[in-house]
Amino acid sequence: VEARWKTWQKNRNTQSKYFAQLEWEAHVCEYVSFLASELRSSGPISSKIPILGPRFIPPTYLHAQRRSPSTDVVPDTTYLKPLNVVHPFFYPGLDRCPTCSSSGDGLMSDGWNPKGHRELHGVSQEETAIGVQFRCKKCKEKYGKKAVEKAEGSFCFVTTNTEFWEKIEHWNHPSESPDLLTNHYGDRLL
């Protein structure tokens, strides 16, 4: 967890580097990775494991107080923003190349976005979204590294990147896919 948020902090040039937010998100990503690995390895997930998400609300002071009545008030948690996780565990069908539609063995998961979350500006509150990164073997053979320089095509994509969604027709969006333009309350995110 610590290695993940430190990498995000180092790789973020234009977005917030707020330590508490990055650390909390790293814990959420660890939880989602655990759920996905449980599903892959053993099929249905045990009923003893809670399935939370894809929208994670930061813990409040009340949560901390319920766990320990002598909890000190730490204002850091009040500044945390909700996190929307765009992962194939929650949205089956996202693990597909937006360029050539490859999936399965033709697609390699490359972990979480190496730069961390995207910040979304909502009408009533600020939010964040994080996605996973994939590499398409077929597109890598076709385009290679030179394609990125020429902007012809790409073999590496993140599920929260606008380029990922631009290449998928609206009627081909996976069922239950996230609408990254609105939040949980239906507010338009700018």
Side-chain angles (χ1 to χ4, degrees):
V1 171
E2 185 177 344
R4 180 173 287 133
W5 70 256
K6 284 185 176 182
T7 300
W8 290 341
Q9 200 170 37
K10 184 178 69 177
N11 291 336
R12 297 173 69 77
N13 298 326
T14 59
Q15 302 251 344
S16 166
K17 295 183 180 186
Y18 183 52
F19 158 76
Q21 180 77 32
L22 296 177
E23 182 182 36
W24 177 69
E25 289 175 0
H27 283 282
V28 169
C29 290
E30 191 68 25
Y31 165 75
V32 174
S33 295
F34 170 75
L35 287 179
S37 70
E38 282 292 304
L39 184 63
R40 278 191 305 272
S41 66
S42 62
I45 296 173
S46 167
S47 61
K48 295 177 183 177
I49 300 172
I51 299 177
L52 307 173
R55 186 168 190 270
F56 293 85
I57 307 296
T60 64
Y61 175 67
L62 178 64
H63 290 99
Q65 190 179 34
R66 293 291 181 243
R67 295 200 182 273
S68 173
S70 63
T71 303
D72 293 335
V73 176
V74 180
D76 288 356
T77 59
T78 60
Y79 297 113
L80 296 179
K81 301 172 190 174
L83 175 66
N84 299 284
V85 178
V86 186
H87 190 283
F89 178 80
F90 299 115
Y91 307 106
L94 283 185
D95 52 351
R96 178 177 311 275
C97 177
T99 304
C100 70
S101 298
S102 289
S103 62
D105 291 340
L107 206 60
M108 297 183 318
S109 176
D110 203 18
W112 295 94
N113 183 350
K115 293 187 177 183
H117 70 262
R118 291 179 64 112
E119 294 177 351
L120 307 172
H121 305 290
V123 173
S124 62
Q125 77 180 86
E126 302 290 303
E127 297 195 13
T128 61
I130 191 162
V132 289
Q133 182 170 283
F134 289 103
R135 293 181 186 271
C136 177
K137 295 176 185 176
K138 186 176 176 183
C139 288
K140 185 174 183 177
E141 291 172 7
K142 183 176 179 181
Y143 298 114
K145 290 188 176 186
K146 294 180 182 178
V148 175
E149 296 167 5
K150 296 179 183 178
E152 290 177 4
S154 180
F155 61 88
C156 182
F157 56 92
V158 177
T159 57
T160 51
N161 192 318
T162 54
E163 292 173 10
F164 171 77
W165 292 99
E166 284 175 355
K167 294 178 181 178
I168 302 173
E169 296 294 343
H170 180 69
W171 51 85
N172 288 332
H173 281 201
S175 62
E176 301 293 320
S177 65
D179 183 356
L180 294 178
L181 299 178
T182 60
N183 69 6
H184 167 69
Y185 304 109
D187 295 334
R188 184 102 174 128
L189 300 171
L190 306 172

